[in-house]
Amino acid sequence: MPIDRFINERKSIWQRLEELLQLLDRMTLRKLHREEVRELGRIYRRTASDLAIARAESRDPRLVNYLNSLVIRAHGRIYRADAQGGRRIRDFFARDFPRTFRRTWRYTATAFGVFLLFTAIAFFGTRHDPDFSEFAGIDPFFREVVINNHKHWWESLNQANQIGSSQIFTNNIRVTFYAFALGAVFGLGTLYVLAFNGAMFGAIIALTYRAGFGNDLMSFVVGHGVIELSCIFIAGGAGLLIGTALLMPGDLSLSDALKSRGMEAVRLIIGCVPLLVVAGIIEGFISPQPIPAVIKIGIGVLTGISLYSYLLLAGREEDGVTGKG
């Protein structure tokens, strides 16, 4: 094909690629319409093919340089957009999640307070009268067969760590999701989940101390409990964000309040998922092992310091630059 004919037939495609690249100079690839993204990929491949033809058949260095520059620009924008997915994930955990936690700490603190209140009520009630544990949801059969026979039921995890660990963090994620999702019932569902789990926790601790092996249970809980319980409180706070948006939207419309607080809540839940996986691994592989309690306490202290150092400090350098808290 004569080079003039080649240029005349292809130049409209090259011009369109330039237009799309100019759009990408002002916005990200994700903001382009779906058809424009497809068109960009199609035209980029076509232009790369034209570049190969021009190199093989044209003696015009200006054409080759022009097409080469166009292909490099397009490749750079497409490649950079692909890489942004990983960068967004990194930025989310390095900055967005901990900053959201700090902005919404009052909701998390409220969730913690509700859990602690019902834990205390169930603990002291059960310490005084073991029958009180039934009000906290403890099956009498469990109390008679397991607790009164001093069975360390958690040690069965040693027999199948991988299965036990996967079941644990699946269950933890489920409880966390319930604490969040039931916030849609004007926050009442979230309060119920926190109260119910807190009461069961307090009653079981009291029963094991009455039976004489409470320290054994606590040494099992301490290694993974800081992360696990913190995630439940954070999820409860996320649920309360949804509930208060429904009940008290403030100066915003209901839809705007739900959108604003809902985005905050979703960030909190997404941030909790990998933390729950870590807690499940510790609970499945380390907590039930017959190792000295001091090691498990050390793991609990270390994970607690690491978690709250991350939540309270990560992204603060950007807070200082932007002037936001």
Short mmCIF file of all heavy atoms in Angstrom, two decimals, residues 222-227 278 282 296-309:
data_model
loop_
_atom_site.label_atom_id
_atom_site.label_comp_id
_atom_site.label_asym_id
_atom_site.label_seq_id
_atom_site.Cartn_x
_atom_site.Cartn_y
_atom_site.Cartn_z
N VAL A 222 -6.71 -14.82 75.00
CA VAL A 222 -5.93 -13.58 74.98
C VAL A 222 -5.10 -13.41 73.71
O VAL A 222 -4.93 -12.28 73.22
CB VAL A 222 -5.01 -13.51 76.23
CG1 VAL A 222 -3.91 -14.57 76.18
CG2 VAL A 222 -4.42 -12.12 76.38
N GLY A 223 -4.61 -14.51 73.13
CA GLY A 223 -3.73 -14.39 71.97
C GLY A 223 -4.41 -13.77 70.76
O GLY A 223 -3.84 -12.93 70.06
N HIS A 224 -5.65 -14.20 70.50
CA HIS A 224 -6.36 -13.72 69.31
C HIS A 224 -7.46 -12.72 69.64
O HIS A 224 -7.97 -12.04 68.77
CB HIS A 224 -7.02 -14.91 68.59
CG HIS A 224 -8.01 -15.64 69.44
ND1 HIS A 224 -7.65 -16.68 70.27
CD2 HIS A 224 -9.35 -15.47 69.63
CE1 HIS A 224 -8.71 -17.13 70.91
NE2 HIS A 224 -9.75 -16.41 70.54
N GLY A 225 -7.81 -12.64 70.95
CA GLY A 225 -8.99 -11.89 71.32
C GLY A 225 -8.92 -10.40 71.08
O GLY A 225 -9.93 -9.76 70.80
N VAL A 226 -7.73 -9.82 71.19
CA VAL A 226 -7.62 -8.37 71.01
C VAL A 226 -8.05 -7.98 69.60
O VAL A 226 -8.86 -7.07 69.41
CB VAL A 226 -6.18 -7.89 71.29
CG1 VAL A 226 -6.06 -6.39 71.00
CG2 VAL A 226 -5.79 -8.18 72.73
N ILE A 227 -7.52 -8.68 68.61
CA ILE A 227 -7.89 -8.38 67.22
C ILE A 227 -9.35 -8.73 66.97
O ILE A 227 -10.12 -7.94 66.38
CB ILE A 227 -6.99 -9.13 66.23
CG1 ILE A 227 -5.54 -8.67 66.39
CG2 ILE A 227 -7.46 -8.91 64.80
CD1 ILE A 227 -4.57 -9.40 65.47
N VAL A 278 -6.34 -12.82 60.22
CA VAL A 278 -5.18 -12.96 61.11
C VAL A 278 -5.62 -13.52 62.46
O VAL A 278 -4.99 -14.44 63.00
CB VAL A 278 -4.48 -11.59 61.30
CG1 VAL A 278 -3.40 -11.70 62.37
CG2 VAL A 278 -3.87 -11.12 59.98
N ILE A 282 -4.45 -17.15 64.23
CA ILE A 282 -3.89 -17.25 65.59
C ILE A 282 -4.76 -18.18 66.44
O ILE A 282 -4.25 -19.04 67.17
CB ILE A 282 -3.79 -15.86 66.25
CG1 ILE A 282 -2.80 -14.99 65.49
CG2 ILE A 282 -3.37 -15.99 67.72
CD1 ILE A 282 -2.76 -13.55 65.96
N LYS A 296 1.24 -16.74 75.05
CA LYS A 296 -0.02 -16.31 74.48
C LYS A 296 -0.36 -14.89 74.91
O LYS A 296 -0.86 -14.09 74.11
CB LYS A 296 -1.14 -17.27 74.89
CG LYS A 296 -0.93 -18.71 74.41
CD LYS A 296 -2.02 -19.62 74.90
CE LYS A 296 -1.76 -21.06 74.47
NZ LYS A 296 -2.82 -21.99 74.95
N ILE A 297 -0.05 -14.57 76.17
CA ILE A 297 -0.27 -13.20 76.64
C ILE A 297 0.62 -12.24 75.87
O ILE A 297 0.18 -11.15 75.46
CB ILE A 297 0.02 -13.11 78.15
CG1 ILE A 297 -1.02 -13.92 78.94
CG2 ILE A 297 0.01 -11.65 78.62
CD1 ILE A 297 -0.70 -14.05 80.42
N GLY A 298 1.86 -12.65 75.63
CA GLY A 298 2.78 -11.82 74.86
C GLY A 298 2.26 -11.58 73.45
O GLY A 298 2.38 -10.46 72.92
N ILE A 299 1.69 -12.63 72.83
CA ILE A 299 1.12 -12.47 71.48
C ILE A 299 -0.05 -11.49 71.52
O ILE A 299 -0.18 -10.62 70.64
CB ILE A 299 0.68 -13.84 70.93
CG1 ILE A 299 1.90 -14.72 70.67
CG2 ILE A 299 -0.15 -13.66 69.66
CD1 ILE A 299 1.56 -16.14 70.29
N GLY A 300 -0.89 -11.61 72.56
CA GLY A 300 -2.02 -10.69 72.68
C GLY A 300 -1.56 -9.25 72.85
O GLY A 300 -2.11 -8.33 72.22
N VAL A 301 -0.55 -9.05 73.69
CA VAL A 301 -0.03 -7.70 73.90
C VAL A 301 0.59 -7.15 72.62
O VAL A 301 0.35 -5.99 72.23
CB VAL A 301 1.01 -7.70 75.05
CG1 VAL A 301 1.71 -6.35 75.13
CG2 VAL A 301 0.33 -8.02 76.38
N LEU A 302 1.38 -7.99 71.96
CA LEU A 302 2.05 -7.55 70.73
C LEU A 302 1.04 -7.21 69.64
O LEU A 302 1.17 -6.18 68.97
CB LEU A 302 3.00 -8.65 70.25
CG LEU A 302 3.78 -8.36 68.96
CD1 LEU A 302 4.68 -7.13 69.15
CD2 LEU A 302 4.62 -9.56 68.55
N THR A 303 0.04 -8.07 69.44
CA THR A 303 -0.96 -7.80 68.40
C THR A 303 -1.78 -6.57 68.76
O THR A 303 -2.15 -5.78 67.88
CB THR A 303 -1.88 -9.01 68.19
OG1 THR A 303 -2.50 -9.37 69.44
CG2 THR A 303 -1.12 -10.20 67.64
N GLY A 304 -2.06 -6.38 70.05
CA GLY A 304 -2.82 -5.20 70.46
C GLY A 304 -2.06 -3.91 70.22
O GLY A 304 -2.61 -2.94 69.68
N ILE A 305 -0.79 -3.91 70.60
CA ILE A 305 0.03 -2.71 70.36
C ILE A 305 0.16 -2.43 68.87
O ILE A 305 0.04 -1.29 68.42
CB ILE A 305 1.42 -2.88 71.01
CG1 ILE A 305 1.31 -2.89 72.54
CG2 ILE A 305 2.37 -1.78 70.56
CD1 ILE A 305 2.60 -3.21 73.25
N SER A 306 0.39 -3.49 68.10
CA SER A 306 0.54 -3.32 66.65
C SER A 306 -0.75 -2.80 66.03
O SER A 306 -0.73 -1.88 65.20
CB SER A 306 0.94 -4.66 66.01
OG SER A 306 2.16 -5.12 66.52
N LEU A 307 -1.88 -3.40 66.41
CA LEU A 307 -3.16 -3.01 65.82
C LEU A 307 -3.47 -1.55 66.12
O LEU A 307 -3.81 -0.77 65.21
CB LEU A 307 -4.27 -3.91 66.35
CG LEU A 307 -5.70 -3.53 65.94
CD1 LEU A 307 -5.85 -3.57 64.42
CD2 LEU A 307 -6.72 -4.44 66.62
N TYR A 308 -3.37 -1.15 67.38
CA TYR A 308 -3.79 0.21 67.73
C TYR A 308 -2.75 1.25 67.35
O TYR A 308 -3.10 2.42 67.12
CB TYR A 308 -4.18 0.27 69.20
CG TYR A 308 -5.56 -0.32 69.38
CD1 TYR A 308 -5.71 -1.66 69.73
CD2 TYR A 308 -6.70 0.43 69.11
CE1 TYR A 308 -6.98 -2.23 69.84
CE2 TYR A 308 -7.96 -0.13 69.21
CZ TYR A 308 -8.10 -1.46 69.58
OH TYR A 308 -9.35 -2.00 69.66
N SER A 309 -1.49 0.86 67.24
CA SER A 309 -0.50 1.78 66.68
C SER A 309 -0.85 2.06 65.22
O SER A 309 -0.77 3.21 64.76
CB SER A 309 0.90 1.19 66.79
OG SER A 309 1.29 1.04 68.14
#
